[in-house]
Amino acid sequence: MKKIHFVLILFSIINCYGQNKRAATLIYSATRIYTPSIVNREQISVYVADDSIISKTQFLEKNEINKGEIIDDMTIFIDNESDIKKFNEIGIDLNTKTLTEYISESFVLNDYFAIQEPLPVMKWELIDEQKQIGDFLYEKAKTTFRGRTYEVWYTTNIPITYGPWKFNGLPGLMVEIKDTKGIYTWQLTSYKPDINIDFNLNIENSNTNNLN
C-alpha cells in the first residue's frame, strides 16, 4: 500500500510540475550555524507560478562535526559516513494546498524519498517595526512553527506570500528570515518578477522500495 501511495505522489508531482511556466524567481542565501565553528551554506531558488511553487536547494559547503554532538535543546546531529548526495526540493500545488518535499536521508534509509503534507498554515504576529531600504519599506513579523520562533522582514511592495522552505502567509515578499536562536538564516539576494522556466522537480532518483 505504501508503495502504491508513493507512486501516486510521484505521478501527481510529474503532472503538476513537468512543464514550462512563467514564474517569479526568488534566490535566497541560507546558513545553518549549529556551533560557532560549523557553518553550512546553501542557495535556495524559489519559483512561484500561478498554480504551483518549486523550491530547490543547492548545498554550497559540507561541514563535519563530532559524532553525537548536541547542537541545542532541539537538535542532535549524528555524524555518519555516507556518500549519498545531499538533496532537497519542495513542490507546492496551490490548487490542492499540498506540499511535497523530496529529500535525501543518509542515516537510516540512505536513499531519496518523498514526504507529502498539507501546506502548513503559519500564524503570524505583525510587529510595529519598519525600516526603509532604497525604494522599499520593510515590515517585521514573527511566527512560531514546529518548535522554533522565526523573525521575518518582508515588503508589501511585492505581493508574493511564499518564501523559502515552508514559509508562507505574509502579505508580501520575505527578504530576511532568522530563527531567534541564531541557527537558521535566509536572506533574499535576487528577485525576478516574470521569467519562463522549466518547472520540473528532479525526481529521477526515486526508490519506492524504501517505503515498503
Side-chain angles (χ1 to χ4, degrees):
M1 180 63 69
K2 289 183 179 179
K3 186 172 182 178
I4 294 174
H5 183 60
F6 182 87
V7 172
L8 290 174
I9 291 176
L10 195 62
F11 177 77
S12 67
I13 293 172
I14 294 171
N15 187 54
C16 183
Y17 306 110
Q19 52 188 302
N20 289 334
K21 294 183 180 182
R22 305 296 299 184
T25 301
L26 320 173
I27 307 296
Y28 289 88
S29 173
T31 59
R32 290 175 288 122
I33 305 176
Y34 296 123
T35 69
S37 61
I38 302 165
V39 180
N40 293 275
R41 303 184 188 279
E42 303 160 359
Q43 179 177 289
I44 301 175
S45 303
V46 182
Y47 306 100
V48 183
D50 290 337
D51 62 349
S52 52
I53 298 169
I54 283 180
S55 175
K56 299 187 177 187
T57 298
Q58 178 185 0
F59 297 90
L60 303 179
E61 295 182 9
K62 180 180 180 181
N63 296 278
E64 301 293 335
I65 67 174
N66 295 328
K67 184 175 182 179
E69 182 174 351
I70 298 177
I71 307 305
D72 62 6
D73 57 353
M74 294 182 59
T75 306
I76 299 180
F77 191 103
I78 305 296
D79 182 26
N80 69 298
E81 294 184 3
S82 172
D83 59 358
I84 189 171
K85 182 180 178 182
K86 286 185 178 181
F87 183 83
N88 181 274
E89 292 190 0
I90 292 175
I92 300 174
D93 186 333
L94 296 178
N95 294 318
T96 62
K97 300 296 183 182
T98 301
L99 182 149
T100 303
E101 186 171 13
Y102 190 72
I103 62 178
S104 62
E105 196 284 325
S106 59
F107 182 61
V108 177
L109 300 177
N110 198 39
D111 213 329
Y112 306 90
F113 63 99
I115 299 173
Q116 193 170 80
E117 63 176 310
L119 179 65
V121 176
M122 294 184 165
K123 297 181 179 180
W124 293 97
E125 176 188 352
L126 303 184
I127 299 172
D128 187 18
E129 190 173 341
Q130 299 177 335
K131 61 181 178 181
Q132 184 85 28
I133 301 178
D135 296 331
F136 290 156
L137 179 69
Y138 297 96
E139 301 177 65
K140 195 173 184 179
K142 182 169 68 173
T143 187
T144 298
F145 179 65
R146 294 179 181 172
R148 293 190 187 276
T149 300
Y150 300 91
E151 295 180 341
V152 180
W153 287 98
Y154 68 98
T155 176
T156 57
N157 294 87
I158 302 174
I160 293 178
T161 63
Y162 300 93
W165 192 43
K166 302 177 182 183
F167 291 105
N168 70 91
L170 278 174
L173 179 64
M174 302 176 212
V175 296
E176 183 180 276
I177 306 167
K178 294 182 178 180
D179 80 295
T180 54
K181 291 190 174 182
I183 297 174
Y184 297 97
T185 302
W186 295 263
Q187 183 76 46
L188 182 71
T189 60
S190 175
Y191 163 69
K192 295 180 180 179
D194 185 30
I195 63 173
N196 189 54
I197 66 165
D198 182 13
F199 223 70
N200 284 303
L201 289 168
N202 295 326
I203 56 177
E204 66 273 8
N205 292 319
S206 60
N207 187 341
T208 58
N209 291 331
N210 287 331
L211 297 182
N212 284 338

